[in-house]
Structures are given as C-alpha cells and as structure tokens.
C-alpha cells in the first residue's frame, strides 16, 4: 500500500496539499490550511449528525457494524455475557482490565456501600405526579445528586473522580427503583447489602412485607446479562451527550444526567418502549403485512430495527433473543413474542429492509423480556440507563484524561441573512414573510 496520506488539489486555486492519514482518518483541522486567500477561514467538513466524524480516540469499545461484532476492551460480548457479571464488566470498562478476585471484591464492596441516597432526595421524588414518566424522574434525580456532592466539581483529582464514579454506579439502581415505587404509591424499599447488584435492584423494586427479599435467581441472572449487554456502545447519542456536556468540566452527575436525557429519546433508549407499543398497536400476526406496508410507505418506523453502526444483526439482539426462553420459563411467555418473531421473519425477507441493512437491534427483544419480568413499559429505558452508567463514566473518564480534548464546540455553515440595518416597527411591512 502507498503512503498514508491524501494528496488534495484545490481546483479553485490549483494549489496542492498533502494531508496525513492516521488510524484511517484525516484530522479535520488539517483542512483549514486549504484556503482561497490569506484571510480565508479555511475549509471545514460538513457532517450533520456526525455520520462520518470521529469525535475522539478511544480504547473502550469496538464495534464492527458490518460483521455484527461488539467487544469491551477487546473481550467479545458473547463471552462476557456468558461468563461475567455486570460489576466485573463495569470494572473492565473503567479500568481497562478484568479485575483480580481481590480487586473485584473491593470494587463490589465499594459499590454495595454507596447505594443509599440522601433522604432529601425522597422529598424531591415525592414532588412528581404519580404518573410522571420514570425517565423524566431519573434525569432529574441524577442531576439532583450534584448539589449533594460539591467536591465532584474537582474532576482533575483522581480519587475524587473515582468516588463519584462509584457513587453514580451504586445509586443509579436506587434512584431507578424509587421512581418505580413512587409510580405505584408504595414506600421506598432500601438497599440490602447481602444481595448482588441486580438482586438488590429487584429487592428495591419488589420487596413488600417479607423480612428479606429473595430474588428469583433466573431473573437475577437475566438482569446481569441484560445489564452487561447494555453497558457501553462507543460513541452513541447519549455517550456523545455525556462527553460533550462533560467537556465543559461540569461534575459527572450533570454530565450523566445529560446522557439519561438523550437516552430517553424514542430513537435511542426509548426504542424498546416503542417496540412494545408498536407490537400492541399491530394487534395480531395477520395485521403484520399491513403494518410493514405502512413502514415501506414511510408512514411508520419498524421500532427496534436499524442502527447507525450495525448493518448486520446486532450481536446483543441475538443474545437477548436466545435468553428469552429462559426468562419465559419462570415468568409467563410473552404473547407478543410470536408476533415479534413473525415481524422479524417478514422484514428480513423484504428488500426494503434488506437493501437498507435494517436488522433487529438491542431494543427489539429486550422489551418483551422486561415485560415478562413484570416491568411496566415506562421502566424499559430506565433499565437501559442503569447499566449504561458505567459505559458513560468510562467514556467521561477517558475524555477528561485525553490531552487532545477541549470544550466541545462545533462550527457551522452560516446560510442566514447578510448584514442589514434595524427596521423601526412603524416601518415594517406585514406582508414580508417572517
Ligand atoms: C440504540 O448508537 C447506538 O449505539 C445506539 C444503541 C446503544 O447501545 O447506545 O445501539 C441503542 O439506540 C439502538 C437503536 C434504537 N432505535 C430504534 O430502534 C428506532 C428505530 N430505528 C431508526 O430510528 C434508525 O434505524 C436509527 C435511529 C437507529 C438509526 O438511524 P440512522 O442511522 O440515522 O439511519 P437513517 O434514519 O438515515 O435510515 C436510513 C434509511 C432511511 O430510509 P431512506 O431515507 O434511505 O429511504 O433506513 C430507513 C430510513 O427511513 N430506516 C428505517 C428504520 N431505520 C432506518 N425504516 C423503517 N424502520 C426503521 N426502524
């Protein structure tokens, strides 16, 4: 192969430029030297929604969208979901290596002993209406942690940073469970330090009058796998929000709250909620062809399908689909599953979806499992936010430590009005279009 560079000729001036290629990319700033005159700002690249723009260099998560590959720190998601636990994967994402037994024990102890939230946050939660969406409550609840830990503003101190990371991973399930109990008008159930991370989450959701809640081991394990699958996904919309907001050097609680807000969107973490609504709206298998026709006419989206990066089957969707049977064996089969399977079968044979490389993504089957486990649809994106917190924090930590990163501030292409003078209101012509 030839030299790792681009030779560019600017046809406006006839000038030639050499731009180095590194890791399969050119530096956007190298384009600025391409000018038509000395006072020219220089060339920019225009890339709405960052379809082809790398915002950072990262060593955390690798995705090959064409091959449907997902690795955390080099470990295949298939092996981690089979053999690891969520806390071990969170450690891996944050520290770059799998922990030793002592490191994992210390890490789990720290997380377990930071699960409580300040009692005043209960008053905050109680202020919401009974039917407040739990994601709206979670966005607020995570941001509300910020004033309780003012030392978190010191993001440059490693020890302070690590303590906030532990607090956020530890408290996210507590906040999430509190939003759920609030929606039911039930008293909050407090953390139980004798339980695992996922077992304690189930305890805070579903404990009633028993002395100690005993989580169903199948559901506890299913949540471990689901949490591992949702832990990180390189520069997705919510991670980009965390990195961008975090680049202003605000504390990690506010940066993660921005991630929760982005994840709330129906095109992102809200998709598994939309998949259930879509299946319920279709109603029955015989109505699927009509729905697919509407999608192909652009009147509806096949929620849970498609992905910016995966142009193949999302490896997470494969694992979730496989584990559905285990969950349904201890809950009750989800009557929507046969319809989801039929919808997938039809879509994967239809050129509209195949030509656009639209395959099931992580959200297509996850909602069916969550519903069978007893979660209300509104809790589905909350179940995404809990595990993604470790990924967001690993990405935030990497951004803060990256000497190349500055405050995120993109440029624009200004196509608005040229210079014009103010017009007194008496002289304005109402016929002019605003
Ligand atoms: C997540 O980025 C991540 O990593 C996200 C995530 C993570 O772990 O963080 O993986 C989690 O967000 C998964 C995605 C969940 N969202 C959904 O399931 C919502 C439905 N999917 C689409 O909205 C869409 O596929 C996106 C948002 C996921 C991706 O959108 P892109 O990359 O911007 O693709 P696009 O909208 O440009 O679509 C390309 C074409 C278009 O058709 P044409 O204009 O070429 O005719 O495909 C069509 C789209 O109309 N298309 C769909 C479709 N998704 C894309 N048509 C019908 N149904 C869909 N779901």
């Amino acid at each position: 192969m030839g030299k790792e560079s681009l030779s560019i000729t600017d046809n406006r001036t006839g000038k030639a430029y050499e731009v180095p290629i590194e890791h399969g990319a050119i530096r956007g700033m190298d384009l600025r030297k391409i000018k038509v005159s000395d006072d020219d700002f220089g060339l920019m690249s225009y890339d709405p929604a960052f379809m082809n723009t790398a915002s950072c260099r990262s060593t955390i998560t690798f995705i090959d969208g064409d091959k449907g590959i997902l690795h955390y720190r080099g470990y295949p998601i298939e092996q981690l979901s089979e053999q690891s636990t969520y806390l071990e994967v969170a450690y891996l994402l944050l520290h770059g290596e799998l922990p030793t037994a002592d490191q994992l024990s210390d890490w789990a102890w720290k997380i377990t002993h930071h699960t409580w939230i300040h009692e005043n946050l209960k008053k905050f939660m109680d202020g919401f209406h009974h039917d407040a969406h739990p994601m709206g409550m979670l966005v607020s609840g995570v941001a509300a942690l910020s004033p309780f830990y003012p030392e978190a503003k010191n993001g440059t101190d490693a020890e302070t940073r690590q303590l906030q990371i532990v607090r956020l991973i530890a408290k996210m399930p507590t906040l999430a469970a509190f939003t759920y109990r609030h929606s039911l008008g039930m008293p909050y159930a407090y953390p139980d330090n004798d339980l695992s991370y996922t077992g304690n989450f189930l305890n805070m959701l579903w404990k009633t009058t028993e002395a100690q809640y005993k989580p169903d081991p199948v559901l506890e394990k299913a949540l471990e796998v689901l949490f591992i699958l949702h832990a990180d996904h390189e520069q997705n919309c919510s991670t980009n929000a965390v990195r961008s907001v975090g680049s202003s050097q605000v504390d990690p609680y506010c940066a993660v709250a921005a991630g929760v807000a982005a994840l709330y969107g129906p095109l992102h973490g809200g998709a598994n909620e939309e998949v259930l609504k879509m299946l319920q709206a279709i109603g029955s298998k015989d109505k699927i062809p009509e729905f697919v026709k509407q999608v192909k006419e652009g009147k509806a989206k096949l929620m849970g399908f498609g992905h910016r990066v995966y142009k193949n089957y999302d490896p997470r969707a494969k694992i979730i689909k496989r584990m559905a049977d285990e969950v349904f064996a201890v809950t009750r089969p989800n009557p929507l599953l046969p319809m989801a399977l039929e919808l997938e079968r039809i879509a994967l044979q239809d050129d509209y979806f195949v030509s656009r490389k639209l395959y099931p993504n992580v959200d297509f089957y996850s909602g069916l499992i969550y519903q069978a486990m007893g979660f209300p649809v509104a809790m589905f994106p909350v179940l995404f936010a809990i595990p993604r917190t470790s990924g967001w924090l690993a990405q935030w930590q990497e951004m803060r430590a990256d000497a190349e990163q500055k405050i995120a501030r993109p440029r624009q292409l200004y196509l608005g009005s040229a210079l014009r003078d103010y017009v007194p209101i008496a002289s304005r012509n109402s016929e002019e279009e605003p």
Side-chain angles (χ1 to χ4, degrees), residues 51 63 232-233 235-238 263 266-269 271 295 300-311 314 316 352-353 356 358 361-363 384 388:
M51 296 288 280
I63 301 174
D232 192 56
H233 214 239
Q235 305 312 313
N236 57 84
C237 176
S238 53
L263 193 69
L267 294 188
H268 191 12
V295 171
K301 271 193 186 292
L302 178 45
M303 300 309 277
F305 259 64
H307 200 277
R308 174 64 53 77
V309 177
Y310 288 124
K311 300 309 172 191
D314 184 332
R316 302 168 296 176
Y352 176 91
F353 300 95
R356 290 169 174 79
L358 301 176
N361 59 48
V362 68
D363 291 299
F384 196 146
R388 185 55 58 92

Side-chain angles (χ1 to χ4, degrees), residues 309-327:
V309 177
Y310 288 124
K311 300 309 172 191
N312 199 325
Y313 214 106
D314 184 332
R316 302 168 296 176
K318 276 184 192 163
I319 297 167
I320 292 173
K321 187 178 172 184
R322 268 204 310 272
M323 69 184 274
D325 297 339
E326 290 163 33
V327 172

